[in-house]
Amino acid sequence: MTSSSSSPSKSSFYSRFKSSALRSKPLPQASDIAVRTNSGHGLVRRLGLFDLVLIGIGASIGAGIFVVTGTVAHDAGPGVTISFIIAGVSCVLNALCYAELASRFPAVVGGAYLYTYSAFNELTAFLVFSQLMIDYHIGAASIARSLASYVVTIVELIPFFKDNIPSWVGHGEEVLGALSFNILAPIILVLLTLVLCRGVGESSLVNSIMTVTKVLIVLFVIIVGAFKVDVSNWSPFAPNGYKSILTGATVVFFAYVGFDAVANSAEESKRPQRDLPLGIIGSLLFCVALYIGVCLVITGMVPYQHLGEEAPLAKAFTSKGMKYVSVLISFGAVAGLSTTLLVGLYVQSRLYLGLGRDGLLPAVFAKVHPTRHTPVHSQVWVGLIAGILAGLLNVHVLSHILSVGSLTGYSVVSACVVTLHWTDKTSSRASTKWISNRAEGLIYLLAIASCGFAAGVLFRFDASFVFLIVVAVIAIFSAIALCLRQVYAKPPGFSCPGVPIVPSISIFLNIFLVAQLHYEAWVRFVVLSILALCVYACYGQFHANPDSASGVEFSNSENGRTNS
């Protein structure tokens, strides 16, 4: 009797889980957004194009411009400039995909999570969110500790404080081997969280001031350094061959990560359909130009063999007798890290807001302050998690497991562009009889992603060039099949050019980079996916409401939630 009674229950659970996991979210209508805004439960549209560009630059340009450039140049030589160009081109492909979707979903927050929810299904969207959140949380804690260290370094320029500040204040002090105590990093996170809780206008103003400051410092460094360039230092341009340049591109790719933050500003943009695509692409192209300028200056000032690995740009100017520029670089690093951290915390809270509205997380995350118009609860939660990590853990040891979430998210966004073009118009061309056109297309996309990972692994372990060619050919044929076996319609607003080829190249390159990550990142991806699946099975599937376009029903109570 027990066996027969439990069987229907088990069948019912699986049936419900499948039904919930495969449902998608409809695109919100303009009237729904008007209801939310007028009711006081939504965010306020205060961000113009200039603000969005500065958000993108603020998220991307951190201390990496003063560190990563020299670190990679140590191996790739002056060819590091090509590394940044290759990585920049790859990011531009991702940015084009983000720009189209930002134009298509201009009214609500959510970014990659929202796009995945609409293009694929609820479970995939939740898995994308979980992977991105780990990157954001650990990244914020890591940046906070680095920022604290830079602040202490600047304070120690004052003779009274030199060598008198305990290590546990800003640099971190090891405790019991596993912990690293830091008091300044959580304080910084508290201050930035308070700024973000006050309102998007105040936080945008702080970001604008800090971003303009660091950009001016970088431009000053480039201009002053240009007069100290010795062109003979650019020869040989690629001392260690093409592979070191390509390997360098996989490293510096992460220096560009952050342009996607603009997409999460959708609900606070004044003219989202026009400004979001321009903000995403414009901020990225500006970052590419800055990185190229810094690369040319640093490799022209000092022979690449003599570049330091911790603060190469600062040491390059010190070696030329311009120590004041080195001090200026430290201030630029503080400004850069501050804006990167500020925008990172901002993006996280908006993602939590989106999931709270959809019921995949508790309703408290969907609450928006009636006068500040900010998701205070989500913002405090984000600051709390980052503060605990930054105050107690040496988060640098967790760096090996970062970036897999961002790269996965970028790949899914690129796939979303392709699949949403299918949904615009039903394919009229003949397809295989035993499988639907959509399923066939998804198989081709998975084949491209698999080829990207295989190529990355082969490249990483120095496999024969023949195998790389075979994998590349399979990916090319899969992309051609996508072109020939599907019908694509151009969407309204900004459209990513070259669909499905451009998104396919983007997917291939992103997954290629995933293969270059430390194996711990792969383990983290699998383990976190399993945990997220359990959370969804126990909570998300029972509370989610993909029809919550307005989000009003989540603002005060649990009512209005429905289950498919």
Side-chain angles (χ1 to χ4, degrees), residues 419-429 437-438 485-489:
T419 58
L420 285 174
H421 275 251
W422 299 339
T423 58
D424 288 337
K425 185 176 182 181
T426 304
S427 178
S428 60
R429 299 184 183 181
N437 274 15
R438 179 178 174 83
R485 302 287 293 179
Q486 303 287 336
V487 173
Y488 298 87

Side-chain angles (χ1 to χ4, degrees), residues 53-62 207 211 214 287 336 338-341 343:
V53 170
L54 290 181
I55 285 176
I57 296 173
S60 300
I61 300 293
N207 177 70
T211 299
K214 72 178 176 183
C287 292
S338 298
T339 57
T340 302
L341 185 56
V343 176

Side-chain angles (χ1 to χ4, degrees), residues 27-30 33-34 36-37 43-53 95 98-110 114-115 261-281 346 492-495:
L27 180 65
Q29 301 299 315
I33 306 306
R36 180 169 65 229
T37 302
L43 306 178
V44 178
R45 298 192 179 279
R46 295 177 178 173
L47 302 178
L49 177 58
F50 185 67
D51 299 309
L52 295 174
V53 170
Y98 261 97
E100 175 179 317
L101 296 180
S103 176
R104 281 186 149 204
F105 297 79
V108 287
V109 295
L114 172 65
Y115 309 151
V262 180
N264 287 281
S265 306
E267 199 173 316
E268 290 157 295
S269 171
K270 294 177 181 177
R271 296 174 295 274
Q273 285 189 301
R274 188 202 74 168
D275 291 351
L276 289 177
L278 291 175
I280 291 170
I281 298 174
Y346 165 85
F494 179 85
S495 178

